[in-house]
Amino acid sequence: MALIVQKFGGSSVADADRIRHVAELITNTYKRGNDVVVVLSAQGDTTDDLLEKAYEINPSASAREMDMLLATGEQQSIALMAMAIDALGYPAVSLTGWQVGLETNSNYGVARIKRVSGTRIREELDRRRIVLVAGFQGINKFGDQTTLGRGGSDTTAVALAVALKADLCQIYTDVDGVYTADPRKVPNARKMDEITFDEMLELASLGAQVLHNRSVEMAKRYNMNLEVLSSFTGEPGTIVKEAVKQVEKTYISGVASDKNIARLALVGLEDTPGTAFKVFNLLAREKINVDIILQSIGRSDTKDISFTVNSSVADRAYKVLMENKDQLGCDHIDISQDVSKVSVVGGGMVDNPGVAATMFEALYEAHINIRMISTSEIKVSVLINKDDTEKAVAAIHDKFFA
Ligand code: ADP
Ligand code: ASP
Ligand code: MG
């Protein structure tokens, strides 16, 4: 007998038929004598619909009230699933984030998990119940609901698997594993049998939304292997783990893209020591994360600094810089939202020079202009025009994998 944590995403529980199908998968695992803890996302587009609903009423609603609203989506799923499992004749209980003691910090909308108490879940498992936990939500020190950021149910699943010392953590979704690129956009993308935590973390952080990046971060920290698989097909999935067998190892693991970014440019800054410090210190104080940074020589004793941020904080970044424009000694500030980031990721890159050149060649052949470049040991990212995203991903993928 094993303790198995299974997570089902929004499309896996989108309607009554899907819920019944997933109830069968869950009870099949239970029937084999296992302890089963299930994490569910909100059904289908529920979270998007709730966001729209809030926007209609107040476009600048407080983050606390947004979390109160968004957390209801997951709560519907767990109650409906408990009913479906009951209809099949098996015992199940649904529990919210606070009922399972999932404590987070107070950063509403992007809360981080601080602690998970497994007590209630263990009690329910001892009664041989299937435990259904609402994903994506937790509770802060004020006793208020928080949410973990879009896609955060994956992180709930990994956090519970770690806290309960689960034998297996399965992330069921609408594709049958992790591919070399988004299989919905790149039809010839290949499924990987295995991928390392490091590579998966990069892919997830660079836009492959198949796993929430924090879930991978946590799985890596506690060495909890994950299996990504489809709730639709029953095919074996992809195992995410510390090290993969050498035969499996290719030097590039995948291509990812991210359209949720914006580029800001400070033009005509004074070319004196401390300028970069002043700019990025302002942003750091606002807790704004900066990604790619480029400094270039301007005209006559000036310089330009451009950088990218997540779209969700772009307006805030622009505002704080504009408020300090004179103090920074800056001529003007541009903001553009028409950009995207495309990246190649691979643990074998370190030993294979030329990855960047190959990527740039693919972009050149596709007539795509590069606006910024950034590299690390296991990734190369470029900033391009948003309209070119799909073309760029396909061209780069073909170059490395065709
Ligand atoms: P869920 O609702 O189950 O959490 P998500 O929509 O968050 O599902 O994630 C699954 C989606 O991730 C897939 O439908 C696929 O389009 C997308 N995706 C992006 N990159 C990849 C990749 N490299 N491999 C597999 N899926 C990917
Ligand atoms: N329902 C949330 C979202 O749509 C969390 C999740 O699906 O993981 O982002
Ligand atoms: Mg997801």
Side-chain angles (χ1 to χ4, degrees):
M1 195 184 83
L3 197 165
I4 300 178
V5 173
Q6 300 182 321
K7 178 258 172 178
F8 295 89
S11 41
S12 299
V13 293
D15 55 34
D17 282 346
R18 296 298 315 157
I19 288 192
R20 281 193 209 102
H21 173 70
V22 167
E24 296 273 358
L25 294 180
I26 295 170
T27 51
N28 284 342
T29 308
Y30 175 85
K31 272 190 275 190
R32 290 195 287 269
N34 299 304
D35 282 338
V36 189
V37 176
V38 177
V39 173
L40 298 177
S41 290
Q43 290 184 279
D45 297 327
T46 302
T47 307
D48 289 324
D49 295 345
L50 289 171
L51 282 167
E52 236 171 76
K53 219 176 237 189
Y55 192 82
E56 234 178 80
I57 288 172
N58 180 352
S60 47
S62 81
R64 180 194 182 276
E65 299 309 331
M66 284 309 297
D67 279 5
M68 195 62 151
L69 181 67
L70 294 185
T72 62
E74 271 63 20
Q75 222 162 300
Q76 293 180 19
S77 298
I78 51 169
L80 292 170
M81 188 62 75
M83 296 172 197
I85 292 174
D86 180 55
L88 292 177
Y90 293 92
V93 59
S94 63
L95 298 171
T96 60
W98 70 263
Q99 285 177 301
V100 303
L102 194 144
E103 295 171 34
T104 71
N105 66 14
S106 294
N107 287 343
Y108 296 107
V110 285
R112 276 197 175 252
I113 299 173
K114 288 169 65 177
R115 214 174 351 240
V116 183
S117 144
T119 317
R120 176 73 190 266
I121 298 181
R122 283 185 207 284
E123 284 169 12
E124 299 294 352
L125 290 176
D126 286 345
R127 293 187 190 126
R128 277 302 285 154
R129 284 176 166 170
I130 295 168
V131 181
L132 307 166
V133 181
F136 176 59
Q137 55 174 260
I139 190 159
N140 66 14
K141 63 179 177 197
F142 307 113
D144 287 337
Q145 300 246 38
T146 54
T147 66
L148 309 179
R150 298 305 306 267
S153 296
D154 298 334
T155 303
T156 308
V158 177
L160 292 182
V162 168
L164 298 165
K165 300 193 171 56
D167 299 292
L168 187 62
C169 182
Q170 298 178 306
I171 309 289
Y172 280 92
T173 181
D174 56 5
V175 286
D176 56 10
V178 180
Y179 280 69
T180 50
D182 185 342
R184 297 189 190 285
K185 295 187 182 134
V186 180
N188 58 351
R190 296 185 208 151
K191 186 168 110 184
M192 291 177 261
D193 292 336
E194 300 183 328
I195 182 169
T196 64
F197 289 130
D198 286 330
E199 289 171 309
M200 191 63 237
L201 184 56
E202 285 286 352
L203 278 178
S205 305
L206 293 166
Q209 99 258 26
V210 61
L211 283 177
H212 192 225
N213 61 348
R214 286 198 189 153
S215 72
V216 188
E217 207 174 84
M218 195 178 298
K220 177 179 156 64
R221 188 172 334 130
Y222 296 98
N223 202 19
M224 172 61 65
N225 290 0
L226 307 178
E227 184 181 3
V228 179
L229 68 175
S230 165
S231 68
F232 293 74
T233 66
E235 294 288 314
T238 300
I239 307 290
V240 189
K241 56 192 211 174
E242 184 58 39
V244 303
K245 283 183 251 123
Q246 205 58 32
V247 272
E248 297 280 351
K249 207 166 176 179
T250 49
Y251 70 111
I252 296 298
S253 57
V255 184
S257 62
D258 186 356
K259 290 184 175 176
N260 292 320
I261 59 170
R263 189 195 64 146
L264 284 102
L266 293 101
V267 181
L269 284 161
E270 277 169 33
D271 195 9
T272 50
T275 311
F277 163 70
K278 283 185 209 156
V279 170
F280 294 108
N281 192 40
L282 278 170
L283 297 167
R285 270 198 263 146
E286 288 289 315
K287 295 197 164 56
I288 293 172
N289 263 334
V290 173
D291 186 19
I292 309 177
I293 301 175
L294 186 80
Q295 174 170 309
S296 55
I297 301 164
R299 294 143 299 277
S300 58
D301 296 334
T302 67
K303 60 185 170 191
D304 303 339
I305 292 180
S306 329
F307 60 90
T308 62
V309 293
N310 192 281
S311 310
S312 59
V313 295
D315 289 338
R316 212 148 53 81
Y318 182 71
K319 188 163 164 266
V320 66
L321 293 172
M322 280 304 277
E323 282 165 5
N324 293 278
K325 183 168 155 280
D326 294 337
Q327 185 224 326
L328 292 170
C330 161
D331 185 53
H332 64 276
I333 301 171
D334 285 337
I335 174 166
S336 63
Q337 301 266 12
D338 62 344
V339 292
S340 70
K341 184 168 68 175
V342 175
S343 312
V344 289
V345 171
M349 237 180 235
V350 210
D351 313 313
N352 287 277
V355 170
T358 308
M359 179 187 191
F360 302 157
E361 186 183 18
L363 292 168
Y364 166 57
E365 286 166 1
H367 306 288
I368 293 167
N369 195 31
I370 299 170
R371 296 171 65 167
M372 283 168 120
I373 299 170
S374 127
T375 64
S376 79
E377 270 205 335
I378 67 164
K379 71 126 206 269
V380 182
S381 298
V382 294
L383 195 78
I384 59 170
N385 290 338
K386 199 175 259 174
D387 291 345
D388 288 332
T389 314
E390 275 75 32
K391 197 164 89 172
V393 171
I396 295 166
H397 188 270
D398 273 358
K399 199 82 182 167
F400 285 104
F401 294 101

